[in-house]
Amino acid sequence: MLPPRYAKWLTDLLGGTLPEEQAATCSSCAMQGEAVAEGYRFRADAKCCTYVPALPNFLVGAALRELPPGPGRASLESRIEDLATCTPHGLDVSEADRARYQALVAAETFGRDPDLRCPHYLAEQGGLCGIWRQRNGVCATWFCKHDRGAAGQRFWQAAEALLTLAERELCHWCACQLLYREAPPGAAEIDDSLSEWSAWVPLRRDYYLRAAALVDELSWPEVQVIGGPELAALVEQLQAAHAALRSEGSAGPASRLVALRRPPTVLVPGTVKLAQRGPVSTRVVTYSDSDALELPNELLALLPRFDGRATEQVLAELAREGVILTPDLVARLVDFAVLEAPA
Ligand code: SF4
Ligand code: SF4
């Protein structure tokens, strides 16, 4: 579920339903347990939250407004108390945390280092997010698995780029409104003897609440005006990714094939890494390490037959040999980049 504000923006923008990623079963994390190949598991006490998120001012304010006393609220208050990372644009990430995250990515230990667990991660509640309804665009669009494989990932990556840029532009816009056009509550007028932010620091919770109220009043078209041409370009990319998903079929659970889908006219094998070979089937990794597929060995052996000839010709040739690959199955292999259109 997207944060309500972002869900509204994206549905207004795309005019339709958004993909649901039902394979990413967060309450019973899909990256743990026996179903996950050794080496690709996340730690049960960290999941995919080994990341400290920057929070734009308007999300901080919205979280302050709605979070009741409890661990989620406490996690936010604790960050607001840290003046080193508490800024007019929102809650920043310290250089130390940034460096630790980069080291973690380089060492490929994402999801496996509890030392870099997010401050909003509620371990004692089984790994819930303490700011779920106000999490940022990165958190809101990341899934370990996608019901439509690489096609779904392309959509969410486009959504992440758009929301992240919107956050950057909106938190800057809020800062300009509040620092240069408003005095802190209780001040008769802007005190020129203080820097604009210094005057707000003792009242920074009010500042963040005001930022949330300012963004509440914006419609998506107004957000786009603030975001300018850079945001407009990302809107086009998101619309294209959404149209591609819709034209290829509606999103659905991994087990449900989508009817009447047409595979590309020419196909070749994608980059398929064999993770674990069994006597009947093989676990393969294609577009994402965290979304491996279990494919029958017989099917894997057929992939080289897609050698750049017309897909219909290859399917007809296989049919003459008594092997029927339905268009739906081929389209699903394309979704997961097992087969792909030639470059
Ligand atoms: S998105 Fe994160 S919490 Fe959800 S199932 Fe995947 S790894 Fe687990
Ligand atoms: S904000 Fe929530 S979803 Fe994002 S990393 Fe923290 S706990 Fe996880």
Side-chain angles (χ1 to χ4, degrees):
M1 182 192 84
L2 276 179
R5 186 193 307 272
Y6 290 173
K8 175 154 186 8
W9 285 352
L10 293 193
T11 46
D12 284 357
L13 173 59
L14 298 170
T17 53
L18 302 174
E20 286 184 25
E21 300 299 351
Q22 297 179 28
T25 52
C26 303
S27 53
S28 170
C29 179
M31 285 301 289
Q32 296 160 30
E34 292 306 310
V36 184
E38 192 61 55
Y40 290 110
R41 288 184 188 145
F42 290 170
R43 279 182 59 125
D45 59 356
K47 299 186 184 176
C48 53
C49 293
T50 54
Y51 156 76
V52 179
L55 282 183
N57 47 25
F58 62 93
L59 290 185
V60 179
L64 278 174
R65 192 168 57 193
E66 72 177 21
L67 281 176
R73 172 128 197 155
S75 70
L76 190 69
E77 294 284 358
S78 146
R79 289 185 75 186
I80 293 173
E81 282 304 309
D82 182 358
L83 289 181
T85 51
C86 188
T87 77
H89 289 90
L91 299 178
D92 204 352
V93 180
S94 71
E95 283 306 317
D97 279 342
R98 251 185 249 283
R100 286 164 64 202
Y101 181 76
Q102 283 163 2
L104 170 150
V105 170
E108 298 184 355
T109 53
F110 181 77
R112 288 181 239 154
D113 182 354
D115 285 347
L116 197 60
R117 205 164 58 192
C118 171
H120 308 298
Y121 185 88
L122 306 182
E124 64 286 355
Q125 293 183 24
L128 297 182
C129 171
I131 56 164
W132 182 248
R133 284 167 49 89
Q134 306 301 342
R135 65 199 191 286
N136 73 11
V138 172
C139 293
T141 56
W142 196 89
F143 299 93
C144 57
K145 302 180 190 306
H146 301 87
D147 293 359
R148 293 281 307 279
Q153 188 190 50
R154 280 192 289 276
F155 171 82
W156 287 114
Q157 286 175 339
E160 179 196 338
L162 180 139
L163 291 174
T164 301
L165 183 72
E167 286 173 351
R168 187 190 81 191
E169 295 302 316
L170 285 174
C171 73
H172 182 67
W173 176 80
C174 288
C176 291
Q177 304 295 311
L178 294 171
L179 295 179
Y180 304 118
R181 298 190 187 171
E182 288 193 24
E189 55 188 27
I190 296 174
D191 183 347
D192 289 337
S193 67
L194 294 172
S195 78
E196 291 81 7
W197 176 238
S198 300
W200 276 98
V201 164
L203 297 162
R204 54 197 182 283
R205 287 170 182 74
D206 295 301
Y207 176 95
Y208 292 137
L209 288 166
R210 278 291 299 135
L214 285 172
V215 175
D216 284 349
E217 290 169 9
L218 298 176
S219 63
W220 175 256
E222 290 169 319
V223 173
Q224 258 192 252
V225 170
I226 292 169
E230 203 181 343
L231 188 60
L234 294 180
V235 166
E236 283 180 20
Q237 287 173 22
L238 181 67
Q239 286 171 329
H242 190 241
L245 269 185
R246 288 165 67 94
S247 65
E248 290 162 9
S250 57
S255 59
R256 177 156 53 91
L257 295 180
V258 180
L260 299 175
R261 294 175 56 194
R262 286 175 176 273
T265 50
V266 177
L267 288 168
V268 293
T271 304
V272 178
K273 291 184 273 181
L274 306 187
Q276 195 175 7
R277 191 163 180 89
V280 179
S281 64
T282 296
R283 188 183 297 270
V284 302
V285 173
T286 54
Y287 81 101
S288 165
D289 284 350
S290 62
D291 200 3
L293 283 180
E294 194 76 25
L295 291 183
N297 292 340
E298 287 177 48
L299 179 57
L300 265 180
L302 295 176
L303 297 182
R305 303 289 283 273
F306 293 87
D307 54 5
R309 287 176 291 156
T311 305
E312 279 185 8
Q313 186 185 349
V314 177
L315 294 178
E317 179 183 272
L318 291 172
R320 284 195 296 277
E321 297 169 18
V323 179
I324 305 297
L325 298 188
T326 65
D328 282 345
L329 174 58
V330 177
R332 186 151 181 79
L333 294 174
V334 172
D335 274 352
F336 280 80
V338 176
L339 292 172
E340 60 190 20

